[in-house]
Amino acid sequence: MRPAEYTAEEIVAAGEAIQAAGRNVTGFALRQRVGGGNPSRLRQVWEEHLASKQVAQAEPVAELPVEVAETVAQVTRALTERIAALAVELNDKAVKAAERRVAEIVRAAGEQREQAERELADAAQTVDDLEDRLETCRAEREALQQRLDQVSAESQRHKVELAQLRERLTAAERAAQAEAEQHAEALKAAGAQLDEVRQELKRATVTAEGLRAELVTVKATAEAAEKSHQEHRKDAAREAQRCADKVVAVEKARDEQAKDAAAAREHTARLAGQLEALQAQNAALLEAMGARGAGGA
């Protein structure tokens, strides 16, 4: 046998609270008050409680003394004579009592009918409340289903966007690799060009030194020739001037080559900076792709 979910004290307390609120105590009202249970059992417990309040405790009766007993016997004999006379009256009273009983039964039946109607009203209210709760649950379920569909659609869209992002990152990585290779080739070519400029500068320096030595020789020759002949001196001076102009031109060319070498070095440094920036950008792209891949997982 399944044990009662709620004690009689809880049911009685619920009924008294319902009465205090000015409502009729019904099985469904008790069920709503205590939070559950069988309405028939709840109503039965409440009626038993009401019936127990109306039962009067019988007091013990003391025995009659002998004198009182004789008096009672005399009265009984006298009353016996009255019984026949009262038969008609009793019969009449019995009929009237029966009529009153019938009226009470009818009244009780009416009260029971009203009680049943109240029970039905409470049951209908309970059913309405349950239907409202069911409708609310259905609406919440539909809302949750819609939310689930939206989340699924967003997840699918994020997957597509992640795949597209990975493709773009792969293409960017390939482009960055190709550009890095191009810059490396350019840097290599710039290095070779710088080496050529250095070699040219070295050759120009050697040529300038030879010209200076030749100038010294020409000056010495000019000084010797001046002593011997003035005309030779003039010719030597002119020759020396031409040599000096040639040296100036060579030094100017050397200076131009030095400037070109400096420009080449500056271009090389700029290419190296660009290469480092590309390498840093490539590393950042790889790191972003790894982070997005981890987030997608």
Side-chain angles (χ1 to χ4, degrees):
M1 180 177 178
R2 183 180 177 184
E5 297 180 356
Y6 303 95
T7 62
E9 290 76 7
E10 293 176 341
I11 297 172
V12 170
E16 291 176 351
I18 295 173
Q19 281 186 339
R23 295 176 55 194
N24 294 321
V25 180
T26 64
F28 286 96
L30 290 171
R31 180 179 179 179
Q32 289 181 345
R33 185 69 182 182
V34 299
N38 188 346
S40 299
R41 176 183 174 274
L42 300 176
R43 178 63 184 173
Q44 181 180 357
V45 172
W46 175 250
E47 290 178 352
E48 290 176 355
H49 168 69
L50 295 179
S52 64
K53 292 175 63 176
Q54 296 176 357
V55 174
Q57 296 181 354
E59 297 181 357
V61 180
E63 295 182 0
L64 295 174
V66 177
E67 295 81 1
V68 177
E70 292 177 355
T71 304
V72 171
Q74 293 176 1
V75 173
T76 300
R77 287 190 297 270
L79 289 176
T80 302
E81 296 176 357
R82 289 280 302 169
I83 290 174
L86 294 176
V88 176
E89 182 179 356
L90 292 175
N91 182 59
D92 183 62
K93 290 181 178 179
V95 172
K96 293 180 178 179
E99 291 177 353
R100 286 195 300 272
R101 180 61 178 168
V102 170
E104 291 178 357
I105 293 173
V106 172
R107 180 179 56 79
E111 292 179 354
Q112 291 180 356
R113 179 178 57 80
E114 294 177 355
Q115 180 69 22
E117 290 177 354
R118 289 193 293 268
E119 294 279 355
L120 290 176
D122 291 340
Q125 182 63 38
T126 302
V127 171
D128 292 339
D129 294 340
L130 293 176
E131 288 180 352
D132 293 339
R133 293 180 183 177
L134 179 60
E135 188 65 25
T136 302
C137 292
R138 288 176 179 173
E140 291 178 354
R141 186 191 65 180
E142 292 178 357
L144 290 175
Q145 184 64 37
Q146 293 178 357
R147 180 57 181 167
L148 178 61
D149 295 339
Q150 293 177 357
V151 171
S152 299
E154 291 178 358
S155 177
Q156 186 64 27
R157 188 177 69 255
H158 290 166
K159 290 180 180 179
V160 174
E161 292 178 354
L162 180 59
Q164 294 176 352
L165 180 60
R166 287 178 177 173
E167 292 179 357
R168 290 198 297 270
L169 287 175
T170 302
E173 183 181 2
R174 292 176 180 175
Q177 185 66 26
E179 188 174 356
E181 292 176 356
Q182 293 177 359
H183 280 285
E185 292 294 334
L187 182 61
K188 185 177 180 181
Q193 185 178 3
L194 180 59
D195 292 338
E196 292 179 357
V197 171
R198 288 175 179 173
Q199 294 295 330
E200 185 67 24
L201 179 60
K202 187 181 293 184
R203 289 193 295 270
T205 302
V206 172
T207 302
E209 290 176 354
L211 289 175
R212 286 194 184 96
E214 184 179 355
L215 179 60
V216 171
T217 304
V218 170
K219 285 182 178 180
T221 304
E223 289 176 357
E226 185 179 1
K227 293 179 180 179
S228 61
H229 196 278
Q230 185 69 26
E231 189 63 29
H232 288 173
R233 181 181 176 185
K234 292 179 181 179
D235 294 336
R238 287 193 296 270
E239 185 65 22
Q241 184 63 37
R242 285 195 301 271
C243 290
D245 294 337
K246 188 176 181 181
V247 169
V248 171
V250 170
E251 289 180 348
K252 184 176 181 181
R254 184 193 63 184
D255 294 337
E256 292 294 332
Q257 291 178 352
K259 291 180 180 179
D260 293 338
R265 285 194 295 271
E266 183 179 359
H267 181 65
T268 301
R270 185 167 58 256
L271 291 177
Q274 292 178 356
L275 179 59
E276 290 178 357
L278 287 175
Q279 290 176 349
Q281 183 179 4
N282 189 19
L285 289 174
L286 291 175
E287 183 179 359
M289 183 178 67
R292 290 182 178 272

